[in-house]
Amino acid sequence: MFKPELLAPAGCLSRLKTACLYGANALYLGGQRYGLRARADNFTEHELKEGVRFAHEHNVRIYVVLNAFLHDDDMDRLDEFCEFLESIGVDAVIASDLGVIRTIRRNCNLEVHLSTQASCLNRYGAQLWKRLGVSRIIVGRELSIEEAGRIKQESGVGVEMFLHGAMCMSYSGHCTISNFTAGRDANRGGCIQSCRFPYKQTRLETAGGMGVAEDNTLDNLGEEAHFMSSKDLFGSALLNEFFRYNIDSLKIEGRMKSALYLAVTCRTYRKLIDEIASGSLTERSVRDADEELLRTLNRGSCEGSLKGPAGRESVYEPFVKDDSKPDMRHILGTVLETTRDRILLQLKAPLELGNTLEFLPFRGESISWMVDSMRSIDDVELQSARQDSVISLPKTSELVDVAQFNVVRKSDTTHDDVL
Amino acid sequence: MNITTYASCEEDIARIAKAHGASEVLLEPLMLSRFGHLTRKEVENLARAAEAQSLERVLVWDALIPERNIDEMLKEIEKWDLSLFTAVRIQDPGAAQWLLTHRSDALLQLIVEVGSHNLEALQGWCECFGPRLQRLVLSIELPEEKLIEYCESLPCQVELLGAGPILLFHSPRALLSNRFSPPQPESIADNFRIEAISSSTESHDRLFPTIETAHGTFMFLDKDQFILDKLDKLLDAGLHTVRIDMRHTSTSGGFAELIVEVCDAMQLDSCADVRSIWPRVTRSPFFKSNKTTAQFAKLKSRIPQFRNENGLAEVVAAEKGECVVFFTRQAFDSSGDFLLVLPSGEDDLLIHGACFRDSSGAVIDRCEQDRIVVTQWYKKAALGALLRYPS
């Protein structure tokens, strides 16, 4: 049976391992240049080699993003980088700019996926990009699943869609607010997220114009509101539709997100996709999955345009309480090592005796465990441990399946600095 | 110099015909153009009027076209007599592809203001559309030096915005009607428009013109692009057309009310005059240089340069006065000297005579990959610091 690829972000080498182990089929990641996340760790060439090796050992494909709108000077040594990517076995590159695509095709045989930055929105656009050498299109987030399916059918090109995570409110690549107001090029990795700001607004009554007030000293701008901040995309309820329209790849957004976000989204979507493919999906799995996935979204959730054009409900108002949202769970740490009788955990949050932890195995149910004993790395018994320390937990019978790189969360915290 | 500008009525056509250097009109129909409000009949009449004045006529089909709209839009364009126009201006590559394969009678003016900021891309579009491509409309994010190079290199006409509003943002979503609650457009054929001013304290309370049409929501900068007084070198390099966009300055519904005055002032070669006529505050942010990536280096740590084959282990915890805990990135022998690169990447600490222990406390000669190793305390060791060979 057809089964779409689950494509996850990898912001650094450790999160690449997390995503591989939690069930992604493919990962997208950036090198030190040419991508859209200037502040992300990104991968050095050495790490790219190591990442490809690790991913391929786990049958996971690697796609490298080269999707910034590059200027001439930015393209320096792009040809060499493409050759390098091909030499280490990268499976595809993601590009949005015709100049980049031509450079790739001139210097290597890497498969090229068209970034959503290029806003390919219709079947004729897909035909054109196919002619220019693109084998897969990450369609604009403005399209429905049915429309993406039609593009695939009528253009013969592979189609990838966003499934989960934060969204631009603008057509991708068509926002230059950062460029012109902050001197940082959003389309070369410097977005200041102006769409997340609150704006005061006043309506003008001069129909037929271009929104220019005659009086530039308006003092009646109304209340602040987040009119251009999008809720996060949440596509789990539509997974059957992705299958129905043969969408090749389902993408989780978030190269800057935490290991917990990756672990939860990958393992949960992995389970849902596998259950749909095997015909074993139950209402209970869907309900449980939704509860898990909603915990990963910070700005509310919506289906975007996956069913039809995104409407009023897709705009995020941060101060409007959403009662349907389950309590957030916060990352506690990552298992760095396990021995016969101990689990060594790097803490990302403080921990005390009596706290309840939740270990997330790569597959299967999470394991809750109340901390009744912990020791320092030097084997000193502890009552509490601070953030950014490494502690040792006893490998009790409940924790026997806990493995290296398992992510652990706290189930009884309430602070908001999450994911 | 050829000047192109928008027209919305016959008075505009008459004005443009009189304006020095103006040789072309841009006509925006309701369904096909992002900001258009003219019916097909109105556009055709204006095209005929422009032809009578020996002006070139460009049909503006600059909407981005989600798949859900493409059939409706193609049904519309199939009704048009494209022979009335000297070219069709498109932005969506799908529209370009359709014209290329379905209408052999239309020359293309491709808007590449978003992306295609390099010569390789621009040459690629020229090759892709061949002789059907009449013109490329370039981005104002490109500096003068690059624009000169492109004007000299490209085999097609080149156009640049000389004066007019700077579009910051285009969303397909109905963001103003969401806010102000009138009925939303049901079709791209609806003549629908809401105008507003948007202002954010994070953007220093600047007033950004914002409009919504059936094609989505658009926000503009509060100041206009203006380089009409800086065009000499570009014209020498072969810049074919300068666009003057005065749609937002309309007081009576016309889009070219000031075109004669602006063009006359340009003929007089009086920089101060041209700028003083322009009704809005102006700037040309990237004309001299584009430094919008200059801050990126400051945002990043320098440590990635050390995450290479010499990078051995990363500090995952530091217990003051007691120990430093590392997680190994690769296997290495624990004898010899090492350097510890601090998290900022700016300073190295020499590690001499370190005693490495595994997580059980046993002293080890060799550290394996992906394992915890522990050393004695080093004062500057901090989370994220990187142990490396001193090569």
Side-chain angles (χ1 to χ4, degrees), chain A residues 17 32 38-42 44 46-47 50 53 69-72 75 97-99 102-103 106 121-125 127-129 131-132 142-144 147 150-151 167-171 173-177 179-185 188-190 197-204 206-213 216 218 221 223-225 227-228 230 305 309-312 314-315 336-337 339 342 344 346 377-378 386 388-390 404-405, chain B residues 64-68 70-71 74 91-94 97-98 100 102 114-121 123-125 127-129 140-141 146 150 166-173 175-182 193-203 207-211 219-221 247-248 280 283 285-286 290-293 295-296 299-300 304 307-309 316-319 323 325 327 329 357 359-360 369-372 374 383:
Chain A
K17 292 176 181 175
Q32 292 297 309
R39 284 187 301 129
D41 265 1
N42 292 318
T44 63
H46 178 74
E47 289 168 326
E50 173 63 13
R53 185 195 63 74
F69 286 169
L70 301 185
H71 291 225
D72 282 331
M75 294 179 71
D97 180 277
L98 181 56
R102 281 162 55 96
T103 304
R106 207 169 36 239
L121 298 169
N122 54 61
R123 58 190 183 271
Y124 293 102
Q127 287 169 8
L128 178 69
W129 285 111
R131 184 157 69 86
L132 293 167
E142 296 74 25
L143 297 188
S144 70
E147 289 162 346
R150 198 182 313 148
I151 288 173
M167 279 196 289
C168 287
M169 185 58 99
S170 76
Y171 280 112
H174 287 256
C175 179
T176 54
I177 304 177
N179 310 36
F180 285 96
T181 65
R184 277 172 49 173
D185 192 335
R188 284 190 284 175
F197 299 164
Y199 287 82
K200 291 178 182 170
Q201 286 183 311
T202 191
R203 185 174 177 182
L204 304 176
T206 53
M210 298 285 277
V212 176
N216 279 341
L218 289 170
L221 279 168
E223 294 295 309
E224 283 191 332
F227 86 108
M228 62 194 323
S230 180
S305 298
R312 182 192 301 246
S314 66
V315 179
L336 292 183
E337 196 176 297
T339 66
R342 292 194 309 156
L344 290 132
Q346 182 190 20
I377 189 74
D378 280 341
R386 60 175 175 79
D388 296 330
S389 58
V390 172
Q404 187 184 35
F405 301 127
Chain B
L64 296 178
I65 317 168
E67 181 69 21
R68 71 182 66 95
I70 193 134
D71 289 330
L74 294 179
Q91 178 172 216
D92 190 308
Q97 171 73 4
W98 187 85
L100 200 65
H102 289 74
V114 175
S116 296
H117 290 157
N118 56 77
L119 186 59
E120 184 70 35
Q123 284 172 334
W125 291 122
E127 287 174 26
C128 177
F129 296 117
I140 59 168
E141 292 181 62
K146 284 291 159 190
Y150 300 162
I166 296 172
L167 180 60
L168 296 179
F169 170 86
H170 177 196
S171 171
R173 300 194 214 178
L175 302 178
L176 293 183
S177 50
N178 277 346
R179 182 86 191 271
F180 297 111
S181 299
R193 187 177 294 251
I194 302 179
E195 298 171 43
I197 291 290
S198 307
S199 175
S200 165
T201 47
E202 279 82 352
S203 299
L207 301 173
F208 300 128
T210 312
I211 68 170
M219 190 161 87
F220 298 89
L221 193 67
R247 291 173 293 177
H248 59 315
R280 294 229 303 158
R283 63 185 299 206
F286 302 124
N290 183 324
K291 293 181 179 167
T292 50
T293 55
Q295 294 178 46
F296 292 2
L299 301 175
K300 296 190 78 158
R307 297 202 313 250
N308 53 27
E309 60 280 1
V316 290
E319 302 296 341
C323 65
V325 187
F327 191 66
R329 295 166 60 90
R357 290 177 289 136
S359 59
S360 70
Q369 185 176 357
D370 287 341
R371 288 286 176 269
I372 285 174
V374 183
L383 193 72

Side-chain angles (χ1 to χ4, degrees), chain B residues 312-331:
Chain B
L312 303 174
E314 193 171 319
V315 175
V316 290
E319 302 296 341
K320 191 174 179 183
E322 295 173 11
C323 65
V324 181
V325 187
F326 293 88
F327 191 66
T328 57
R329 295 166 60 90
Q330 59 177 300

Side-chain angles (χ1 to χ4, degrees), chain B residues 301-303 306 339-349 379-387:
Chain B
S301 157
R302 292 186 191 172
I303 210 160
F306 301 107
L339 290 174
L340 190 65
V341 187
L342 302 189
S344 64
E346 287 171 357
D347 204 4
D348 281 343
L349 177 71
K379 191 177 175 187
K380 286 186 173 177
L383 193 72
L386 185 71
L387 188 76

